[in-house]
């Protein structure tokens, strides 16, 4: 099972949904970086379960315990290891899943791949619970990037047919992204946000679920980040985004919309701004040309499927009896995971970009890049 990511800055995520803890090891962080743990806690709280009616009632404090890697409030040059305890588990809710796989989940494929030895409780290592350590790693990486003038933020772009105001791909500012982070429901338009919540609640009342799209931007990326051919900016970012459970689509800039444009419409004209920097008048390319950052905001959209664990009765199979059976999924689940997925997308972006940044520039605090 491959649970590691990165080349210069590497993360390794461990644990299962119902194991004693989940956690992450981050190797390759530059030494001497101050890490504000209060900011880390605040970031992780945005992902934590059990806070609002439109998320799972499973309550977890999600307080990371740092075992190594930080001394006197700063990174000290050794791998940073943090664990997050699982304290509110109900494994009995999942006993039948060993025999009857849930539609839409990895229960069936994991059973075949691992010969029945996988931890099936709560989805095991395939659970969204593993995004907690990802968010810890992202929160740490984000502070290091912010010190280098790079800001990351996202919002819920859509849930079903309800759509928020899109990010302005040309002029989005760090402050605009920060304002959304301060909201309980991460959207630009609060009126749209209320309608989205009504859609989620309606699905919950019908014992169903809904999906949606998270849109995010990275502002302040210098020109030249990305390692083509296979570690280009989009390639690297897409690979970690697709590791987030329930992600089924990723696109950058205009994305699939470019297929409907003429070249004259899609090409972004270059110009010099008042500071003498090269910019583009439009940003259909989403901040990446040839897999290398262009200096424009990096924009990405991430599609999340509806939560597959629904209370409504579904058809599945009995693996021992070799026949179709009816399944009623028990346990505690989100009717929509999208609100909690926004910080997960931000975290994944931070990890990937810090890795690419350090590949390009190093990253130590003594190289004039602080």
């Amino acid at each position: 099972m491959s649970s590691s990511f990165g080349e210069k800055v590497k993360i390794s995520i461990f644990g299962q949904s119902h194991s004693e803890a989940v956690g992450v090891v981050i190797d390759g962080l530059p030494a001497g970086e101050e890490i504000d743990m209060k900011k880390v806690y605040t970031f992780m709280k945005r992902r934590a379960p059990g806070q609002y009616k439109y998320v799972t009632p499973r309550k977890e404090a999600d307080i990371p315990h740092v075992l190594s890697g930080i001394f006197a409030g700063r990174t000290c040059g050794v791998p940073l290891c943090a664990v997050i305890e699982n304290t509110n588990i109900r494994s009995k809710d999942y006993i039948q899943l060993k025999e009857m796989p849930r539609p839409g989940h990895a229960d069936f494929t994991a059973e075949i791949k691992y010969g029945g030895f996988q931890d099936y409780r709560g989805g095991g290592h395939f659970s969204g619970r593993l995004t907690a350590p990802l968010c810890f790693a992202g929160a740490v990486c984000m502070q290091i990037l912010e010190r280098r003038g790079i800001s990351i933020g996202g919002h819920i772009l859509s849930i079903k047919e309800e759509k928020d105001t899109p990010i302005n791909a040309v002029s989005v500012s760090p402050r605009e992204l920060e304002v959304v982070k301060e909201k309980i429901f991460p959207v630009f338009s609060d009126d749209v946000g209320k309608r989205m919540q009504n859609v989620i609640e309606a699905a919950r009342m019908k014992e169903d679920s809904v999906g949606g799209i998270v849109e995010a931007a990275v502002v302040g990326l210098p020109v030249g980040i990305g390692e083509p051919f296979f570690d280009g900016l989009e390639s690297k970012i897409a690979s970690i985004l697709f590791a987030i459970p329930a992600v089924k689509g990723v696109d950058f800039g205009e994305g699939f919309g470019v297929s409907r444009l003429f070249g004259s419409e899609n090409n972004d004209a270059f110009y010099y701004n008042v500071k003498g920097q090269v910019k583009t008048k439009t940003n259909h390319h989403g901040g990446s040309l040839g897999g290398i950052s262009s200096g424009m905001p990096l924009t990405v959209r991430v599609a999340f499927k509806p939560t597959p664990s629904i209370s409504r009765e579904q058809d599945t199979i009995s693996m021992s009896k070799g026949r179709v059976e009816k399944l009623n999924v028990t346990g505690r689940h989100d009717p929509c995971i999208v609100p909690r997925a926004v910080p997960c997308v931000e975290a994944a972006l931070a990890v990937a970009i810090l890795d690419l940044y350090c590949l390009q520039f190093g990253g130590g605090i003594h190289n004039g890049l602080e």
Side-chain angles (χ1 to χ4, degrees):
M1 191 175 277
S2 177
S3 301
S4 299
F5 174 89
E7 184 174 341
K8 188 75 171 181
V9 176
K10 302 176 183 179
I11 69 167
S12 181
I13 288 176
F14 58 87
Q16 303 102 259
S17 179
H18 288 207
S19 59
E20 290 189 12
V22 293
V24 63
V25 177
I26 315 172
D27 198 3
L29 292 174
E33 294 287 344
E34 184 177 358
I35 303 300
D36 185 335
M37 292 304 297
K38 288 185 178 180
K39 288 185 178 180
V40 171
Y41 300 150
T42 298
F43 183 86
M44 294 186 66
K45 188 176 181 180
R46 294 168 57 209
R47 191 223 69 95
Q51 301 182 76
Y52 317 109
K53 68 178 181 179
Y54 49 79
V55 302
T56 171
R58 174 178 175 175
K59 294 183 181 295
E60 294 283 3
D62 276 4
I63 301 298
H65 301 284
V66 176
L67 305 182
S68 66
I70 295 180
F71 176 70
R74 293 178 179 267
T75 55
C76 60
V78 302
L80 195 168
C81 178
V83 296
I84 303 164
E85 294 181 356
N86 292 327
T87 60
N88 188 7
I89 58 178
R90 295 201 320 218
S91 298
K92 61 180 176 60
D93 291 337
Y94 297 90
I95 293 174
Q96 65 178 334
L97 304 184
K98 174 70 174 170
E99 161 67 8
M100 300 169 65
R102 295 168 293 177
H105 274 281
D107 300 334
F108 169 71
T109 51
E111 173 75 18
I112 301 303
K113 182 173 180 62
Y114 299 110
F117 293 103
Q118 78 284 356
D119 184 350
Y120 57 84
R121 302 167 302 167
H125 193 67
F126 303 94
S127 169
R129 182 74 184 135
L130 276 296
T131 59
L134 173 64
C135 281
F136 173 84
V140 169
C141 293
M142 206 170 295
Q143 291 188 33
I144 296 173
L145 289 169
E146 287 173 352
R147 215 164 280 131
R148 287 151 176 79
I150 300 171
S151 300
I152 299 171
H155 72 124
I156 303 171
L157 178 62
S158 66
I159 290 178
K160 292 289 282 183
E161 288 77 26
E162 298 295 343
K163 188 172 183 179
D164 192 23
T165 305
I167 288 173
N168 188 315
V170 174
S171 62
V172 61
S173 70
R175 180 55 190 159
E176 290 176 74
L177 301 176
E178 194 62 32
V179 167
V180 178
K181 291 181 183 179
E182 296 167 358
K183 295 184 178 184
I184 294 175
F185 198 82
V187 289
F188 291 119
S189 170
D190 293 334
D191 288 339
V192 174
K194 290 176 183 177
R195 295 201 297 270
M196 288 179 176
Q197 292 176 60
N198 290 337
V199 170
I200 296 171
E201 178 62 11
R204 186 183 72 84
M205 294 302 292
K206 294 178 181 178
E207 299 184 323
D208 216 329
S209 62
V210 289
I213 298 174
V214 172
E215 183 183 46
V218 184
V219 180
L221 264 182
V223 180
I225 303 295
E227 302 294 323
F229 205 73
F230 294 110
D231 281 336
L233 193 56
E234 294 107 323
S235 302
K236 191 83 168 184
I237 291 171
S239 67
I240 192 170
L241 287 174
F242 273 117
I244 300 173
V247 170
K248 299 302 290 184
V250 173
D251 72 1
F252 296 85
E254 195 69 25
F256 279 87
V258 299
S259 65
R260 300 188 296 270
L261 302 178
F262 289 110
S264 56
E265 296 172 307
N266 183 62
N267 291 344
D268 300 303
F270 291 106
Y271 75 100
Y272 287 102
N273 67 10
V274 294
K275 297 180 180 179
Q277 300 168 321
V278 176
K279 298 292 182 181
T280 59
K281 293 180 179 180
T282 52
N283 190 16
H284 301 296
H285 68 283
S288 178
L289 293 168
I292 303 169
S293 59
S294 68
M296 294 296 289
L298 173 74
T299 58
V300 59
R301 287 176 296 274
V302 187
F304 287 83
K305 68 181 182 182
T307 313
S309 288
I310 58 177
S311 299
R312 185 177 296 187
E313 186 178 76
Q314 302 175 81
D315 285 335
T316 187
I317 56 171
S318 166
M319 298 187 70
S320 63
K321 298 175 183 177
R323 68 188 187 195
V324 173
E325 297 275 8
K326 296 293 184 180
L327 175 67
N328 289 102
V329 176
T330 58
R332 300 159 293 176
H333 310 284
D334 299 78
C336 181
I337 64 171
V338 179
R340 295 174 59 207
V342 175
C344 301
V345 170
E346 295 170 358
L349 285 169
V351 171
I353 288 170
L354 182 60
D355 185 33
L356 289 171
Y357 184 98
C358 289
L359 281 168
Q360 178 70 18
F361 295 116
I365 64 171
H366 300 298
N367 63 4
L369 296 171
E370 189 176 24

